[in-house]
Amino acid sequence: MHHIIYGSRATQPLSDDDLLTLLLQARSHNQLHGISGALVYSNGQFMQVIEGEEEVLAALYERLLRDPRHTQLVKYADKAIAERSFSEWSMAFQPVSEAQFAGLLGYLPARHFASTAPELGRADGLLLSMMKELVSEPLA
Ligand SMILES: Cc1cc2nc3c(=O)[nH]c(=O)nc-3n(C[C@H](O)[C@H](O)[C@H](O)COP(=O)(O)O)c2cc1C
């Protein structure tokens, strides 16, 4: 099992309808390809965790890079993991406040690819539990 965590910026403001279209498309593809994960959105910024087989995620990331709806993709993690954190979600989604998004950024590892070990480092673990909390809690 593998995960990729990345952040990006929307190229244009996305309406609720745009986000819903994106999400439905992502979920149906992910379900077919054994991908799970979570996506948070705040004021034009995305952070996403995708989990699945390494080659499947690499192919998805290539498509994400070419998607004109967002830009400035920055990969924070790309590594083997012992288990999924979002196994029940083909793509959990949560719009969050700017403060919540800033909080997430604070959990990012100081250096990208800080660790390639499948055991979650402290920063990875905190980021994932924060994402989990956000997707299971309403906007604060
Ligand atoms: C922020 C963001 C997150 C996305 N997440 C996913 C995803 O989890 N799974 C997925 O299949 N597509 C996702 N997409 C859509 C892909 O970028 C792409 O449009 C889709 O996979 C269809 O690709 P294709 O038109 O080359 O077939 C996402 C797009 C954006 C902008």
Side-chain angles (χ1 to χ4, degrees):
M1 201 46 48
H2 207 83
H3 80 186
I4 293 177
I5 305 174
Y6 78 91
S8 67
R9 290 189 164 274
T11 38
Q12 290 178 5
L14 291 166
S15 67
D16 288 353
D17 264 5
D18 296 334
L19 285 168
L20 189 63
T21 304
L22 191 165
L23 203 58
L24 294 179
Q25 180 188 26
R27 283 181 178 157
S28 69
H29 173 272
N30 291 355
Q31 223 149 27
L32 278 176
H33 294 89
I35 299 169
S36 52
L39 176 66
V40 299
Y41 178 77
S42 173
N43 191 29
Q45 299 188 90
F46 291 107
M47 182 150 350
Q48 189 173 27
V49 181
I50 50 178
E51 309 170 325
E53 294 305 324
E54 185 172 5
E55 319 78 67
V56 173
L57 294 190
L60 172 56
Y61 196 73
E62 282 302 309
R63 290 204 310 281
L64 286 165
L65 283 172
R66 291 196 303 266
D67 194 318
R69 289 172 289 188
H70 65 171
T71 183
Q72 295 176 36
L73 279 76
V74 177
K75 229 189 228 183
Y76 298 117
D78 185 343
K79 68 181 215 175
I81 51 169
E83 58 181 11
R84 295 176 192 258
S85 297
F86 299 95
S87 53
E88 307 101 279
W89 289 283
S90 55
M91 190 48 61
F93 174 73
Q94 186 64 52
V96 302
S97 68
E98 291 203 50
Q100 286 170 321
F101 199 90
L104 272 184
L105 293 173
Y107 284 112
L108 290 175
R111 263 183 287 143
H112 303 168
F113 307 105
S115 159
T116 54
E119 298 80 41
L120 288 177
R122 189 172 150 74
D124 286 33
L126 287 173
L127 178 66
L128 290 175
S129 40
M130 187 79 184
M131 292 273 288
K132 248 186 179 170
E133 244 176 70
L134 287 175
V135 300
S136 51
E137 266 178 26
L139 187 64

